[in-house]
Amino acid sequence: MCGIIGCSGRSDETLDVLLSGLEGLEYRGYDSAGVALSNGTLSVCKREGEIHRLQQAVDGDLGGPVGIGHTRWSTHGPPSDANAHPHTDCSGGVAVVHNGIVENYADLRAELTDRGHEFDSDTDTEVVPHLVEEELADGATFEEAFRAAVTRLEGSYALAAVAEDSAAILATRHDSPLVVGVGDDAAYLASDVPAFLDYTDRVVYLEDDEFARLETGSWTVTDADGGLIDKSVSRVEWDAEETAKSGYDHYMLKEIHEQPRALRKCLRGRVDERTGSVAVEALEGLNPGSVQFVACGTSYHAALFGAQTLREAGVPAQAFLASEYATSPAPVTDDTLVVGITQSGETADTLSALREAQHRGVETLAMTNVVGSTAARECDRTLTIRAGPEIGVAATKTFSSQVVACNLLSAAVAERGDAREVVEALRDLPGQVQKILDSSRAERVAEEYVDSEAYFFVGRGHHHPVALEGALKLKEISYEHAEGFPAGELKHGPLALVTAETPVFAVATGSGEKATKTVGNVKEVEARDAPVVAVTDGASDVGRYADVVLEIPETHARVAPVLANVQLQLVAYYIAKKLGRSIDKPRNLAKSVTVE
Ligand code: F6R
């Protein structure tokens, strides 16, 4: 999704800050990038394609103490130099970058065109600098003009603007994140903290409809009427090292390897191993009659796990795809808790579903990785998963931390259950993940099956979400066809697709009924000559029917999904690597999906 960076600092540094900030935003996914700097005159440079094309195009004339930059992920109009941000008015005196969608842009554009404005792009954004231009022509100051233009907009936006005669960056947000970075002698602006983390870890989160003004290293925040708001400055716990590749070929591999540490952080200070009790401030006093999870993609898979775990603990619970829930919400009662699982805390579908829940008056909880994200700020409670920044578009460590956080939630609200055993297993989990990372045969499995026609993943119970996640990870980074199914569903249709050219990854742990039945399903695919890769702790005899076994250590049934999933993350990574794919930035995908 689109990303915004801004800097008000020293003339000889601002351009570098913008360009490195754009690199820090690359992980969100983009197809073009651009910058605008003001130095009394306004200069703009933008290019379709990767940021290095922009870096090559930037010439010595471009400079100034204030500037804005943008990575674009196309919504209105294809990727092109013209559609890249920043966009300017007719005179080239005002430049604007925008995340989100201006829903009434067609009407505004028609209106502006009638009044003689000429447009260079297909974007919805371009109406904004022209609206500002009209106000300036009527004698407004830059800030008055910007505020007046914003009142005309409908939809979602994070906006930043610079103008030729102004030493300020003006910015505002509505349903799209924007954060101010506070430096010693510079002020920064970004849609996402990693963009300026090299320069400062002190941040001010903007709320909807607040306005920020960044000028010569200083900043102010005002409300829609111009009244000064006393904002608090927070420190983000992430550091720049966490957002560097640190010698790994890809962020995804680095993040897979960061899981032991991420899991320790998620658990720290939250569980009492002696009593098996869970003490999480965000969950204190929580006693829901029922729980509804809303989430998308990988987070939805964690939600499926969470709902199952809660049901096992005696609490009625369901998982919903947020995009569906937002328009077809399930019935709630006064004691329903709606939990939004969202790594970024900015996924538009999930925010919409949570807002729908709030609209109906029920309590909401955000389970997120990003302190200060929109979900965190809007929900009644926030359970942070503490995985640290995740840069690779494919979610890895955040899924593991979400599964652990779901276990914490379930232990905290359970009426009955086995919290003590789960807590003990969670204590051993980081070490067990490390063991898998040190010894996995996933790369050899990838070598063996890389040229297959398609890949299927099956699992039952807690391993159903793992099967779905294994397939999602593989398809998104390898572009190969992969599907996950509940193991028992294979014979109801998908089995027709199974051949000797379609490996089946079967996840089975323990020796109970679920594992035994999964073994039966494995025999069904084996009889169709499909290669079988078993992901197992060896407690059942699934390995006997498998061509290859990816081993995981024995653990509690509610913790095993994390371990099994680590093996599948590695398989996906190595298949994609062998195919030479763009692993950290898969085609068409974005890290933070801020449109519905
Ligand atoms: C897949 C992936 C996506 C996200 C989904 C929700 O690897 O990353 O499926 O899980 O877009 O994102 P969040 O968790 O930020 O709400």
Side-chain angles (χ1 to χ4, degrees):
M1 289 280 121
C2 304
I4 289 176
I5 174 76
C7 174
S8 162
R10 283 178 30 184
S11 276
D12 57 342
E13 286 178 355
T14 295
L15 178 60
D16 287 342
V17 171
L18 297 183
L19 292 174
S20 77
L22 292 177
E23 283 174 350
L25 291 166
E26 275 189 293
Y27 75 99
R28 293 169 66 100
Y30 70 105
D31 47 52
S32 52
V35 290
L37 287 102
S38 174
N39 195 8
T41 58
L42 193 69
S43 30
V44 177
C45 183
K46 47 194 200 171
R47 285 292 179 276
E48 181 195 345
E50 304 232 334
I51 285 166
H52 70 83
R53 292 200 62 226
L54 174 71
Q55 285 164 334
Q56 282 162 3
V58 161
D59 64 29
D61 295 341
L62 204 67
V66 289
I68 52 178
H70 191 263
T71 48
R72 175 174 187 254
W73 190 81
S74 302
T75 53
H76 295 70
S80 68
D81 288 357
N83 285 337
H85 299 213
H87 291 287
T88 49
D89 62 329
C90 298
S91 69
V94 176
V96 171
V97 292
H98 165 224
N99 289 358
I101 292 179
V102 178
E103 283 164 6
N104 59 336
Y105 87 98
D107 291 346
L108 292 171
R109 188 171 169 135
E111 191 188 294
L112 287 157
T113 306
D114 280 352
R115 291 200 290 269
H117 290 263
E118 287 181 11
F119 286 79
D120 294 328
S121 77
D122 308 316
T123 65
D124 52 338
T125 305
E126 201 184 345
V127 296
V128 184
H130 290 277
L131 289 170
V132 175
E133 179 185 22
E134 288 204 333
E135 299 291 335
L136 288 172
D138 284 348
T141 63
F142 179 35
E143 184 162 340
E144 288 163 352
F146 181 70
R147 285 175 182 275
V150 169
T151 60
R152 303 291 318 278
L153 308 180
E154 289 165 18
S156 64
Y157 46 81
L159 285 167
V162 289
E164 60 186 352
D165 294 326
S166 170
I169 300 173
L170 303 178
T172 189
R173 61 159 281 175
H174 186 86
D175 285 350
S176 190
L178 207 52
V179 55
V180 172
V182 181
D184 291 335
D185 48 16
Y188 309 90
L189 181 79
S191 49
D192 213 5
V193 172
F196 56 59
L197 206 49
D198 277 341
Y199 305 100
T200 185
D201 61 357
R202 286 179 291 149
V203 300
V204 177
Y205 294 104
L206 292 188
E207 301 289 341
D208 272 355
D209 307 318
E210 290 182 346
F211 286 75
R213 182 182 179 102
L214 276 60
E215 207 166 5
T216 52
S218 69
W219 58 276
T220 50
V221 177
T222 46
D223 61 23
D225 301 323
L228 202 61
I229 302 177
D230 187 14
K231 300 286 287 185
S232 59
V233 179
S234 1
R235 234 173 235 284
V236 285
E237 285 176 18
W238 301 351
D239 60 42
E241 171 60 21
E242 284 183 292
T243 60
K245 241 188 250 171
S246 310
Y248 286 92
D249 285 349
H250 297 96
Y251 280 112
M252 182 180 175
L253 189 62
K254 176 185 178 233
E255 287 155 6
I256 289 173
H257 280 264
E258 280 172 347
Q259 289 178 109
R261 179 164 169 237
L263 295 171
R264 279 189 196 99
K265 277 168 75 177
C266 184
L267 290 168
R268 191 164 297 145
R270 289 173 162 177
V271 290
D272 182 334
E273 285 167 28
R274 233 171 5 88
T275 59
S277 60
V278 166
V280 184
E281 212 180 308
L283 305 179
E284 267 168 28
L286 204 55
N287 187 22
S290 65
V291 176
Q292 296 176 353
F293 288 90
V294 291
C296 307
T298 292
S299 295
Y300 172 67
H301 300 154
L304 285 171
F305 171 84
Q308 192 183 346
T309 306
L310 276 164
R311 286 196 300 270
E312 286 165 354
V315 183
Q318 280 173 284
F320 298 89
L321 285 166
S323 52
E324 290 295 310
Y325 188 95
T327 47
S328 318
V332 290
T333 52
D334 286 351
D335 58 357
T336 300
L337 172 73
V338 175
V339 180
I341 305 188
T342 166
Q343 180 282 127
S344 61
E346 303 296 350
T347 300
D349 287 323
T350 309
L351 293 176
S352 243
L354 287 167
R355 286 172 189 151
E356 177 56 39
Q358 282 173 330
H359 178 66
R360 292 187 299 153
V362 297
E363 190 169 15
T364 52
L365 176 120
M367 187 184 286
T368 183
N369 195 29
V370 183
V371 178
S373 60
T374 305
R377 284 179 295 107
E378 291 188 4
C379 285
D380 302 309
R381 297 168 182 259
T382 301
L383 175 56
T384 47
I385 62 167
R386 302 177 180 165
E390 189 174 69
I391 306 294
V393 163
T396 51
K397 61 177 178 173
T398 53
F399 176 77
S400 297
S401 299
Q402 286 167 346
V403 168
V404 166
C406 283
N407 270 314
L408 297 181
L409 172 65
S410 154
V413 304
E415 285 165 14
R416 57 175 194 274
D418 45 8
R420 190 195 206 118
E421 289 88 338
V422 174
V423 164
E424 272 172 25
L426 289 173
R427 177 198 55 201
D428 296 336
L429 179 64
Q432 291 178 325
V433 170
Q434 189 61 54
K435 204 168 155 195
I436 293 173
L437 296 173
D438 293 342
S439 62
S440 175
R441 301 167 68 200
E443 188 167 5
R444 266 175 283 160
V445 170
E447 241 160 58
E448 174 79 26
Y449 297 115
V450 67
D451 289 322
S452 302
E453 268 175 17
Y455 302 81
F456 299 117
F457 294 75
V458 297
R460 266 169 200 270
H462 299 116
H463 294 318
H464 169 216
V466 176
L468 299 181
E469 177 58 12
L472 178 63
K473 214 74 336 177
L474 180 58
K475 78 178 87 162
E476 69 182 320
I477 61 166
S478 73
Y479 317 153
E480 296 295 296
H481 182 217
E483 293 299 330
F485 303 104
E489 272 298 294
L490 261 191
K491 57 187 177 297
H492 297 293
L495 200 55
L497 298 172
V498 169
T499 70
E501 306 305 322
T502 61
V504 176
F505 290 77
V507 185
T509 56
S511 54
E513 192 187 2
K514 291 190 188 103
T516 311
K517 289 194 168 170
T518 304
V519 174
N521 305 130
V522 164
K523 288 183 192 161
E524 289 157 14
V525 300
E526 202 208 6
R528 273 86 188 165
D529 294 329
V532 174
V533 180
V535 183
T536 180
D537 55 4
S540 67
D541 58 358
V542 68
R544 274 185 41 205
Y545 304 98
D547 297 85
V548 191
V549 171
L550 290 172
E551 283 169 37
I552 62 170
E554 275 190 58
T555 184
H556 193 283
R558 285 204 256 294
V559 177
V562 175
L563 297 174
N565 188 59
V566 171
Q567 289 284 23
L568 297 183
Q569 291 170 345
L570 290 167
V571 171
Y573 173 79
Y574 285 114
I575 289 181
K577 190 170 179 202
K578 283 175 203 315
L579 292 170
R581 305 298 192 221
S582 168
I583 291 181
D584 285 333
K585 288 174 267 164
R587 70 182 178 204
N588 305 338
L589 299 182
K591 184 66 184 164
S592 184
V593 185
T594 50
V595 290
E596 284 184 62

